Amino acid sequence: MPLEIPYHLSPEARASHDRWRAWKQSGLVLLCLAWVALGLVGHAPWKGEDAQTIVIAWEMVNTRDMLVPSLIGEPFFTYGPLVPQLAALTMKLATPWLAPHDAARLAAGLLLLITLGCVSLAGHELGRYHKNGGKTQRWLPMLILIGSVGLFDHAHQLSPHLGLMTALALGILALALALRRPGTAGVLFGVALTVGAFAYNMVAWFWLLLPALLLPWLHSGWRQKQYAATLAIAMVLAVVLCALWPWGLYQRSPELFAQWWAAQSPSVGWSGREMVSNFGWLGKNLLWLAFPAWPLIIWLIRIRARGFNGGFQTPQVILPACVAVTGIVAILLMPDVRPIEAMALLVPLALLASIEVETLPRGGSAGLDWFGILTFGLTAIVLWFFWWDAYINGLGSYAAELFRDAEVGYQPTFRLRSALVSLFLTVLWILLVRPARQSSQRAVLNWAVGMMLIWGLVVTIWMPYVDSRRSYEVVARMLQPYAASGCVASRDVGEAQRAIFYYYTAVKVFPEQKPAMAACPLLLVEYNVANLQVPPLDGFETLQSGRRYGDNTEMYVLYRRVEQ
């Protein structure tokens, strides 16, 4: 968000203005770095893709096999190997100082930094075609992305979807550069296709290639011979790079290659049967996932529909809009859509939302600003109050009901460093949102800082509580005494939980449907019923039962087969 310097300023005033702008940009860089760093370390692998990816990287390090991603000793080709490989590299480098899962999650921070950098560069590049004076937009898309509610929980978890988001940011930057530097854009777009295929799977090519092919039909800027050269360079580079890993699999074992090829079938990741329900899911969930982007996009549509600033026929609008529509179509075709699947969609939406921020009326920007101040201020007060009350008196019944916690009386431990960081973030937020010159850019900045404040409080003073509720370590430890049996079958236990059990105890837990599990003496069953007593099971005796702290919806019971 560079500030325009009036032509009538004296040289001394211009120098002071430049120094202030440098300080401002340095502060924004520190804001982005702080947001990326918060929450990467200091907690166990959490259920979902975070646990799966960490365990795959952990197995790569232990087996010294970076070629074949494996989960609990079995090849895993649902997603590409790039994110686990990157996590395995950070795990090797940082394990002496960090726990393996924390070291692996540094890869998520690297992917976030690349994503934010590409979004900033793409906003700057597309800002060249802004009809309102050609103002560049370096920071607004980044701040909107940081402030997106949909990134609050998922952005700092290690997942292939984070790799897809990075690939999408790279691809948008490449397509924006294609208007001026087709050669560089071709190489960058080829890299984006490769990252998408290796970090996610071949479905990422749909997210990237379809917009690239549609752009010449939508705007004359991409209807040039140089753009054809861009696509040619990208395709040659992507095909060559994307062939390296499958070729390595084939050289290792044709069976491994066949498994990977079967996982790339469109029928695996795509299904038209759920389009109606997925459309309803998007309609309900994008309202909070893409906030505050969607109100700003509505303002953009209102302004451009009236023909201002070039209307809709500008590269700044067409490129992110085309990518966003393609992403929506891809999500509609998914057989099982979840909030993390829509994370990559926030990249083009943030670019779209940033276009007309500067034209927001004073009432609109003030409304967004005050809504953010009240929301984040009240939330911070509640978090501080409940934390202090729990530290002094234990978690009260009213707080336990609010947090859906079954353990009344929980008392957090006092950690000086976490308390100081939380206090610093709170004071920083108060200083930044104090009454000052109102502007649309200021409202976006305040929202991003407010989101960082709440996330910072959660991952500092509240992290021991959150981690104890989301970690499966206490459940995994009950399997430790039975590791010597070498065989534990499972019933209704998710893949992520089985990965966590393997990470903590080296016990391989497989579904009982596998033929090899028929003679297994131990059976682990997950019951998803609140307040359930340990039930008997015909032909088995109960050994142990356990659940996560404060959780009354999942119970794990370990049985042993009784000889008849």
Side-chain angles (χ1 to χ4, degrees):
M1 295 183 297
L3 302 176
E4 299 297 323
I5 302 178
Y7 67 91
H8 59 272
L9 290 181
S10 65
E12 293 79 7
R14 286 174 180 267
S16 175
H17 194 284
D18 289 340
R19 285 194 297 270
W20 166 245
R21 182 169 61 178
W23 277 105
K24 177 183 178 182
Q25 292 180 350
S26 299
L28 291 172
V29 170
L30 290 176
L31 168 67
C32 296
L33 292 176
W35 177 77
V36 169
L38 287 170
L40 286 181
V41 300
H43 64 85
W46 286 346
K47 178 181 176 181
E49 281 75 8
D50 186 61
Q52 289 179 321
T53 311
I54 288 173
V55 173
I56 293 172
W58 179 68
E59 291 194 60
M60 284 182 172
V61 173
N62 291 337
T63 61
R64 298 182 180 180
D65 185 0
M66 303 289 285
L67 179 65
V68 183
S70 60
L71 186 63
I72 321 179
E74 294 187 336
F76 185 82
F77 295 123
T78 304
Y79 301 107
L82 182 60
V83 176
Q85 287 171 343
L86 186 61
L89 179 62
T90 60
M91 190 181 294
K92 286 183 178 180
L93 296 175
T95 295
W97 301 277
L98 296 172
H101 50 269
D102 286 335
R105 218 177 279 114
L106 295 179
L110 180 60
L111 292 173
L112 281 176
L113 286 176
I114 295 173
T115 301
L116 292 178
C118 290
V119 168
S120 176
L121 291 173
H124 171 72
E125 186 66 26
L126 291 172
R128 298 174 182 272
Y129 308 99
H130 199 293
K131 295 296 183 180
N132 187 21
K135 295 181 180 179
T136 59
Q137 295 173 309
R138 295 174 183 265
W139 299 103
L140 283 175
M142 291 177 59
L143 294 175
I144 294 173
L145 189 62
I146 288 174
S148 296
V149 178
L151 291 187
F152 182 83
D153 187 26
H154 298 295
H156 294 79
Q157 297 184 34
L158 194 61
S159 70
H161 305 82
L162 189 57
L164 175 62
M165 187 170 72
T166 302
L168 207 62
L170 279 168
I172 293 175
L173 173 59
L175 294 175
L177 279 173
L179 296 171
R180 292 193 309 115
R181 303 173 64 180
T184 303
V187 173
L188 191 60
F189 195 62
V191 172
L193 291 171
T194 305
V195 171
F198 281 175
Y200 192 67
N201 52 39
M202 294 305 296
V203 172
W205 281 36
F206 177 83
W207 286 72
L208 292 165
L209 275 182
L210 184 58
L213 296 175
L214 290 177
L215 287 175
W217 298 89
L218 299 174
H219 193 275
S220 60
W222 287 281
R223 206 177 302 142
Q224 308 292 333
K225 292 181 180 180
Q226 294 88 340
Y227 183 65
T230 297
L231 294 184
I233 294 171
M235 290 306 301
V236 170
L237 181 62
V239 168
V240 171
L241 293 177
C242 288
L244 294 178
W245 180 56
W247 175 252
L249 289 177
Y250 185 81
Q251 293 297 313
R252 172 76 64 86
S253 168
E255 289 75 15
L256 288 174
F257 176 82
Q259 291 181 43
W260 170 79
W261 183 254
Q264 303 307 306
S265 172
S267 61
V268 175
W270 295 42
S271 173
R273 295 188 297 272
E274 304 295 331
M275 286 190 66
V276 175
S277 60
N278 288 349
F279 185 82
W281 183 93
L282 273 178
K284 292 184 295 184
N285 288 276
L286 273 185
L287 292 177
W288 62 271
L289 287 171
F291 195 89
W294 66 263
L296 299 175
I297 293 175
I298 291 177
W299 173 252
L300 163 72
I301 295 173
R302 180 180 177 182
I303 289 294
R304 295 302 178 101
R306 298 163 65 184
F308 294 113
N309 298 333
F312 297 111
Q313 292 301 312
T314 64
Q316 196 178 24
V317 175
I318 289 176
L319 174 55
C322 190
V323 175
V325 171
T326 302
I328 290 173
V329 173
I331 292 173
L332 292 177
L333 293 174
M334 289 180 180
D336 180 27
V337 62
R338 297 168 296 158
I340 196 171
E341 306 285 355
M343 188 167 63
L345 187 61
L346 300 178
V347 171
L349 293 181
L351 287 165
L352 273 175
S354 67
I355 295 174
E356 292 295 342
V357 166
E358 295 177 350
T359 64
L360 272 174
R362 183 178 296 272
S365 61
L368 175 64
D369 201 10
W370 280 108
F371 176 71
I373 291 173
L374 291 175
T375 300
F376 297 125
L378 290 176
T379 304
I381 291 173
V382 168
L383 290 175
W384 273 110
F385 171 77
F386 280 152
W387 176 80
W388 181 255
D389 183 57
Y391 178 70
I392 299 298
N393 306 311
L395 190 69
S397 57
Y398 54 95
E401 184 178 355
L402 178 65
F403 296 155
R404 299 180 181 179
D405 195 311
E407 186 182 5
V408 178
Y410 168 85
Q411 285 187 295
T413 56
F414 180 80
R415 299 181 179 182
L416 180 60
R417 182 172 58 183
S418 297
L420 290 177
V421 172
S422 297
L423 185 61
F424 171 77
L425 292 175
T426 304
V427 173
L428 177 64
W429 178 80
I430 293 173
L431 292 176
L432 285 175
V433 302
R434 71 190 191 283
R437 182 178 62 87
Q438 296 294 324
S439 71
S440 303
Q441 296 182 5
R442 182 71 182 226
V444 172
L445 173 62
N446 287 347
W447 181 273
V449 176
M451 186 64 72
M452 190 182 72
L453 167 65
I454 303 305
W455 175 246
L457 294 178
V458 170
V459 300
T460 51
I461 56 175
W462 278 102
M463 178 54 80
Y465 172 84
V466 175
D467 193 34
S468 67
R469 270 59 186 163
R470 302 192 66 173
S471 171
Y472 283 85
E473 182 176 3
V474 64
V475 181
R477 294 304 180 189
M478 81 178 190
L479 299 176
Q480 189 81 52
Y482 308 97
S485 66
C487 179
V488 178
S490 66
R491 180 182 299 174
D492 300 325
V493 179
E495 195 170 51
Q497 289 93 322
R498 294 191 291 108
I500 295 173
F501 299 156
Y502 181 57
Y503 175 74
Y504 280 114
T505 66
V507 176
K508 294 184 178 181
V509 181
F510 293 109
E512 62 178 343
Q513 293 82 5
K514 284 183 173 291
M517 297 293 105
C520 188
L522 301 178
L523 176 65
L524 181 67
V525 182
E526 176 185 337
Y527 295 99
N528 294 311
V529 180
N531 302 319
L532 177 72
Q533 300 298 319
V534 178
L537 195 62
D538 291 340
F540 291 86
E541 63 175 341
T542 303
L543 294 178
Q544 288 198 48
S545 64
R547 65 177 77 210
R548 290 177 295 171
Y549 293 117
D551 180 30
N552 64 352
T553 61
E554 292 180 2
M555 173 181 285
Y556 293 85
V557 183
L558 183 64
Y559 298 95
R560 180 164 55 195
R561 192 183 303 274
V562 177
E563 297 294 338
Q564 300 295 334

